[in-house]
Amino acid sequence: MIEARPVPIAARMSASPSADWFEIERLLDAALDLPVAERARFLARSAAAPEVRAEVAALLAAAASSEGFLDAEPAAPAYRLPVGARIGPWRVEAPIGRGGMGEVYAVVREEADFQQRAALKLLVRLESTEDRARFSAERRILARLSHPGIAHLLDGGEHGGHPYAVMEYVEGLPLTEAARERPLSAQLDLFEAVCEAVDHAHRHFVVHRDLKPGNVLVTAEGRVKLLDFGIAKQLDPLLAEAGDRTQVLRLSPDYCAPEQLRGEPVTAATDVYALGVLLFELLTGQRLWSMGGLPLTRALERLTAATVPAPSQRVAGARIPALRGDLDAIVLKALRPQPEARYPSVEALLDDLRRHRQGLPVRARGEARGYHLRVALRRYRWWFAGAAALLASLLLGLAGVLWQAQKAALGRDAAQREAARADAVRQSLLLMFREAGAREGAESLTAKQVLDQAAERLDREYAGDPGTRAEVLLSLAQLYFHLNDYAGARPLLESLLAPGQTLEPATRAMAEHDLGQIRFRDNQAAAAGDLLRAAQAFWQAQAPAYREELLQSRLLESQIARAGGALDTAIRVLEQALADRLALSGPRHRQTGILLNNLGIAYFSAGRLEEAIRQFKQADALWQALDLGRSTDALNTLNNWASTEARAQRPEAAAPLFARALSLRRELYGPSAALAALLGNLGKTLLQLDRASEALPLLEEAVPMAERYAGAGSVLAISAALGRADAWSALGQPGPAARDLERLQPLIEREFGARHPLSVLLTLSWARWHWATGQGEQALAALARGEAAATALGPAGDAQKATIEALRRRWQAAAP
């Protein structure tokens, strides 16, 4: 603990402000690891620049003369409260640690019908009246804050003349330790939760002032808890204490803002700076600063004179492109030395981070048009790619039409009309590109909004030209398909096919086929079949000119047959289509890969798993050969292949496939229900391989993501939570497993009932829990109940029955 009075900044600056602070830091850290007697020789042998060596020598001398200047106080010989002591209704279980002013104990309150654990903080060193006032302020602050991310106050009072506060007991790991092995998206989820808790405090006029990993714990359930408001500052002038001219610094220099060391006024920007340091450490796995033991003047110089490196400069491999750009800019804006140059609030920092994760421009990077256009292209890459493909096709068609108009004496006027229509579509698509790039910086437009506005405008614009209107609306409908937005495509196609509309036969056939796909997705298989047959009748009458369209239509034909229970017909359609595709396009063609994937799905549905796996293997090899191994097509094939291996009870083959699919989905997309499903699938597969320590982090990431994107009561979220409970049981930690299962049981019983696969999975999870707690007989009895329930489900319970049999054999073999 030290007292520091603000002094003029000029008096504290080094004589060599141009020195490279990060080279100085590297050399200083290496020297400090050596015995004192060896440091001078080490420095003399260094190849660093003379000004760097001089600066390090000065820092070493200063550190030697002020040993422990900013370090924690030495430990007291004994804790004041013995185990078993009573503080009001609380009984001391064990000491936890010491802080700047007091001691912290694990305590318990036992009543007739409940037991409550908590943490008791006792103020034992009353060095000034300010200490007591500050401790009382901490209790008042905690009493005002009610947020799931902040450890809340339970009780308070005095014991033997010493004030105490009883707070929620939080069992967890420091933020950076808990996040170390998690993927980037999960690390950002944790950081968002920290920001939300700090923002809540700021809204109640409280600045924490000591944000560091040890004061941000992550529980076993993955929840963030903010601790220790011992040096928090009231921002509300009506609540703030007067007289802050002389400060006692109880801060962590590696995470504090420059203005804290100067003794200047503290604002919300002070916590923004600390959050920037935390985010830097989360992203890079390295501390930004290392200033323990440095005197105040040297610590301040490092904070204000050094150039902060971008996080992407401190990492290697795949993390570099993930951090470069937006995340670099966000961190560097939060870490600006001048408070007014940082984010004005934690809410603004959080908003910029969320904008980055949603693919929107971040405000930390300014308003350059080129940047906003790049964000638009990256954000809409799939539908822009689809639009570009359509545009290229239309340009080729236009060139062919004009060539025909020049070459032939057949219908020059008609050819020119077709050229004008194609040009109208081309101009419409180009206009959408321009609008998306121009408006992205001003407002947040989704791809759907761009299309919705274009569809409405173009429908009006071409109302007097039915032929061109039809071509434009059909092209827009196909763009909606690229967005998987069938609701957006539906009204366009229905408008085209409405009674009384005049359409070219080729346009009508394509619209019928596309609307047929939508009807099938709407569970209207009969209507889909009627539309498909109408389209195919036109294409067959004009064969071979429409051979490609006929081939692509076989996919929908097969899906309709499979939905009607005609699996053999569905397979025959695809087998013939594959033969025709190979004859038309050869083996190295994207449509060949799509057919292989769909044929694999059909075999899977028929229970012909080995044949399905052969198709998926061929499709995967084709994606690699076509340099499409990082595409959505490749992702679908990997997921299907992995699921088939899992159904075939080959987890050792499924696990690496799920891992490849997971890596690819993270690369292509952000957090989603689909990503949560993949995390859960891989986690549960690893559990089958007795790799619970690898499975648990995946399942812990899957549960909150599934709850966020699919709903807390969804099958996806519940299935992931059951997997997490199984991981806890396998790791010999039945407590967290039981908490999960006790929470899920009433939900499953109420929402799904006993005749549902989730009910079987719950029974199996309880069986694993019984086995983990040494209750072998109860575990086998639960397996028997699960087997009966799975049998009652019919074919839907076959996978669970196979799992039950495997568990029974293993446990019976292990039984004494």
Side-chain angles (χ1 to χ4, degrees), residues 151 170 179 201 215-216 354 424 478 504 523 537 586 623 633 670 726 728 781 799:
V170 181
N215 283 342
V216 184
R354 286 173 172 165
Q478 290 170 348
E504 293 290 339
N523 294 316
W623 301 135
D633 290 326
D726 293 343
W728 283 122

Side-chain angles (χ1 to χ4, degrees), residues 369-377 380 383-384 387-388 391 395 423-443 445-447 449-451 453-454 457-458 461-462 479:
R369 279 182 69 87
Y371 165 64
H372 290 291
L373 181 56
R374 289 194 301 274
V375 170
L377 291 172
Y380 304 147
W383 75 272
F384 274 171
L391 181 57
L395 289 173
D423 189 60
V425 176
R426 179 175 63 90
Q427 294 297 334
S428 300
L429 295 176
L430 288 174
L431 178 62
M432 282 193 292
F433 278 102
R434 288 197 299 270
E435 285 184 346
R439 300 187 66 177
E440 182 67 20
E443 60 182 276
L445 287 179
T446 66
Q449 288 170 327
V450 173
L451 276 177
Q453 293 174 9
R457 178 175 53 76
L458 294 172
E461 185 173 335
Y462 292 109
L479 285 180

Side-chain angles (χ1 to χ4, degrees), residues 284-371:
T284 65
Q286 306 172 33
R287 278 201 178 192
L288 175 59
W289 309 113
S290 181
M291 294 185 287
L294 291 186
L296 178 62
T297 56
R298 297 296 183 180
L300 181 58
E301 182 177 356
R302 182 173 292 190
L303 288 180
T304 55
T307 301
V308 178
S312 63
Q313 297 172 347
R314 288 286 193 93
V315 296
R319 276 241 162 165
I320 294 176
L323 304 188
R324 183 182 293 146
D326 286 358
L327 289 174
D328 279 348
I330 290 170
V331 171
L332 294 178
K333 183 174 178 66
L335 291 175
R336 290 178 183 171
Q338 304 81 12
E340 64 276 7
R342 298 173 204 148
Y343 287 101
S345 66
V346 175
E347 182 182 20
L349 166 61
L350 183 57
D351 178 67
D352 232 9
L353 182 62
R354 286 173 172 165
R355 289 177 66 83
H356 160 71
R357 303 188 74 184
Q358 294 165 8
L360 297 170
V362 301
R363 295 184 171 88
R365 298 188 68 179
E367 296 297 327
R369 279 182 69 87
Y371 165 64

Side-chain angles (χ1 to χ4, degrees), residues 29 50 52 162 164 269 295 326 340 347 386 448 457 466 472 517 581 593 642 661 675 798:
D29 289 343
V52 171
H162 297 276
Y164 70 86
D326 286 358
E340 64 276 7
E347 182 182 20
K448 174 175 169 52
R457 178 175 53 76
V472 169
Q517 293 187 74
R581 172 59 67 187
L675 179 58
D798 288 347

Side-chain angles (χ1 to χ4, degrees), residues 49 185 713:
S185 61

